[in-house]
Amino acid sequence: MWQRVARWRRAASRGPVLPARDRRAATRSVSWFFAVGGSVVGACALLVPGFAGGTTTGVVITVLTAVAMVAAAVVLRVVPQRVPDAFWVGVPFIALGIIGSLNLVTHDVSVSAHLYFLWPLLYAATFLRYDVAYLLLGSACAADAAVTFSLQPFDVGLTDVAALLTAYVVSTVVVTSLRRRADTLVARLEEQALTDPLTGLPNRRAFDHDLARALRATRRDGTEHCLLIVDVDHFKTINDTWGHATGDEVLVAVAAALRRTAHAADAGARLGGDEFAMIVAGDVARARRHAAALRLAVARGSQLPGGLPTLSVGVASTAAGATTAEALLAAADRALYRAKLDGRDRVALETPAAGPARQNRAHETVGGAGRGAGRGPVGGLHHRPEEGHA
């Protein structure tokens, strides 16, 4: 949850070969290559004497290849969603084969013929995973060298091959380096967009994504999830009495406690102000243990002037019928309101009503240190709560 950037960077080298966000741009790039390349090659085969090797067979093969390329461009533009994922990885290698074959058929070893190899290289360096891009670079160097040496004497072709392979390597390295910088910038922007700057916790936007993912799992396989809404008691009084710097310390302390008590399958966040949330993968009993551990962690870990902050926690479960984000948030908010109404410093559970007799008692409240524990000079800051009451 709190390692989003690290996961994002690992995905750049071990994730999908073509990231989903680049699919549209890759489609345009490939379709333009096939459309323009096919049109130019077909027109030259028909209009330029000797272009296709000076034979009828060469002209026919070249024109058929050009028609196939233009047809592929049309398919990619009209129905790109029907193109299998493997195509986007294989297409630059297919392009190498087409370019090399056409150069052989047309006996073309001019600079323009060599430069066609740059298109698949730039495509791979821009859109594909880095290891695939460098694999294609090696393949392009081998293919171009094979074609050149088959059409030219070794001593003549060696100079051309050395210069062109240098251009291929430099182009690939430059583009992948620029892409790495762009990927790093995107990762930083994503971190800033999804992280609360004060506490380092995921913010409301990240929480909405995590909640939607949890609810999809609930609808898909019936996994129960609970939502905890956590509120710092009398936070305004803390700010007014001790200053906003102390208020920030309280928020950071609560965030640290939330981070310590959350398991790998759980997701915590700061929703805004003094309100936090935790999505717990499990039943209500597990959610109650998390709430108790959170309140205890705040009590043990806070070194603040005036005493310890107390927390009110509202808990709602998907098992109670709340299977949408709005419904689950509303249920947790009702439970939080009940916790505050009953005196704060406690956990309240939103439970499903079983019938008319329980319609006015749809909450279960677990009292905390607020019962019987003396408060300090400022509301919401008091002596350490007893662990048994948490």
Side-chain angles (χ1 to χ4, degrees):
M1 179 66 191
W2 292 284
Q3 304 297 328
R4 293 176 183 273
V5 176
R7 290 203 304 267
W8 199 97
R9 287 176 175 169
R10 286 196 299 269
S13 59
R14 296 187 298 179
V17 177
L18 177 68
R21 69 181 188 277
D22 290 340
R23 181 65 56 85
R24 180 176 296 180
T27 300
R28 289 196 298 267
S29 180
V30 174
S31 62
W32 274 110
F33 166 73
F34 280 136
V36 176
S39 301
V40 171
V41 168
C44 289
L46 294 172
L47 301 176
V48 178
F51 179 82
T55 65
T56 303
T57 302
V59 171
V60 171
I61 293 175
T62 303
V63 169
L64 289 177
T65 302
V67 170
M69 292 173 65
V70 173
V74 173
V75 171
L76 291 173
R77 296 294 290 182
V78 175
V79 285
Q81 68 278 6
R82 295 189 179 181
V83 179
D85 291 341
F87 172 81
W88 304 107
V89 183
V91 67
F93 294 95
I94 295 172
L96 289 183
I98 293 174
I99 295 167
S101 299
L102 289 175
N103 287 350
L104 278 174
V105 170
T106 60
H107 298 280
D108 191 355
V109 289
S110 64
V111 174
S112 60
H114 289 292
L115 291 180
Y116 277 114
F117 283 103
L118 277 176
W119 179 87
L121 290 175
L122 295 177
Y123 167 86
T126 303
F127 298 113
L128 300 186
R129 211 169 55 195
Y130 298 118
D131 53 350
V132 179
Y134 286 111
L135 174 63
L136 185 74
L137 172 62
S139 302
C141 291
D144 196 15
V147 172
T148 301
F149 289 133
S150 68
L151 297 176
Q152 285 185 324
F154 182 82
D155 56 342
V156 175
L158 182 60
T159 303
D160 290 344
V161 168
L164 289 164
L165 297 194
T166 300
Y168 298 159
V169 172
V170 170
S171 299
T172 301
V173 170
V174 168
V175 173
T176 53
S177 298
L178 292 174
R179 181 181 162 195
R180 286 182 191 276
R181 294 183 63 182
D183 288 346
T184 300
L185 177 60
V186 169
R188 290 177 179 172
L189 292 175
E190 183 180 73
E191 180 186 19
Q192 293 174 4
L194 298 176
T195 304
D196 174 60
L198 175 63
T199 64
L201 287 177
N203 61 14
R204 178 59 186 263
R205 178 180 296 178
F207 167 79
D208 288 340
H209 292 311
D210 291 331
L211 182 58
R213 183 169 59 249
L215 292 176
R216 283 196 298 270
T218 296
R219 290 190 290 269
R220 182 178 62 250
D221 51 32
T223 304
E224 183 177 357
H225 286 84
C226 293
L227 175 61
L228 281 65
I229 300 294
V230 182
D231 197 80
V232 180
D233 294 329
H234 302 290
F235 184 69
K236 184 178 185 303
T237 304
I238 296 172
N239 269 338
D240 292 344
T241 303
W242 300 101
H244 288 278
T246 299
D248 288 347
E249 289 183 44
V250 170
L251 297 177
V252 171
V254 174
L258 189 68
R259 193 178 287 111
R260 289 195 301 270
T261 56
H263 294 173
D266 305 325
R270 180 188 177 197
L271 301 185
D274 62 327
E275 192 169 71
F276 298 82
M278 181 188 293
I279 304 167
V280 176
D283 57 14
V284 170
R286 187 168 185 269
R288 288 178 60 175
R289 290 194 297 270
H290 272 63
L294 174 61
R295 296 171 67 227
L296 187 59
V298 171
R300 286 177 170 174
S302 302
Q303 300 294 329
L304 299 170
L308 304 172
T310 63
L311 304 178
S312 296
V313 184
V315 181
S317 169
T318 55
T323 56
T324 66
E326 295 77 9
L328 195 61
L329 282 165
D333 279 337
R334 288 194 299 270
L336 177 63
Y337 177 75
R338 174 66 62 178
K340 292 181 176 181
L341 200 63
D342 288 346
R344 292 185 170 85
D345 187 22
R346 64 194 63 242
V347 179
L349 311 177
E350 176 78 358
T351 59
R358 295 190 61 188
Q359 287 180 355
N360 294 323
R361 189 174 177 77
H363 301 269
E364 179 184 353
T365 305
V366 180
R371 294 179 179 177
R375 295 194 178 274
V378 179
L381 298 176
H382 59 72
H383 299 296
R384 187 180 305 277
E386 296 180 10
E387 295 180 16
H389 288 165

